[in-house]
Amino acid sequence: MSYYNKCPHCGAALDPGEKCDCQAAPADIAARRQAIKECIDHALNGADLHEMQIIWQFVSKYCG
Ligand SMILES: [Zn+2]
């Protein structure tokens, strides 16, 4: 059983001591979003078929 805190503002699950993004400044959110996107792009470029299928489980709901 894993322990986590809940954000009082949006209800997101947070690791102990983690601060929720929902209270961050818009510029911080945009920068963090861009950093994550670049990491995902990098991961996709290096992924093999099995890894792509794992990713597909997450993204397929957006692709009908
Ligand atoms: Zn939140």
Side-chain angles (χ1 to χ4, degrees), residues 6-12 14 19-23:
K6 205 168 184 181
C7 176
H9 305 287
C10 72
L14 304 171
K19 211 170 176 221
C20 187
D21 287 341
C22 75
Q23 298 299 298

Side-chain angles (χ1 to χ4, degrees), residues 2 12-13 16 20 24 38 46 50 61:
S2 62
C20 187
E38 288 174 7
H50 177 67
K61 63 184 173 185

Side-chain angles (χ1 to χ4, degrees), residues 24-45:
D28 290 343
I29 293 173
R32 185 159 181 187
R33 186 182 178 282
Q34 181 62 25
I36 292 170
K37 183 180 179 298
E38 288 174 7
C39 184
I40 291 171
D41 287 345
H42 183 71
L44 286 174
N45 286 336

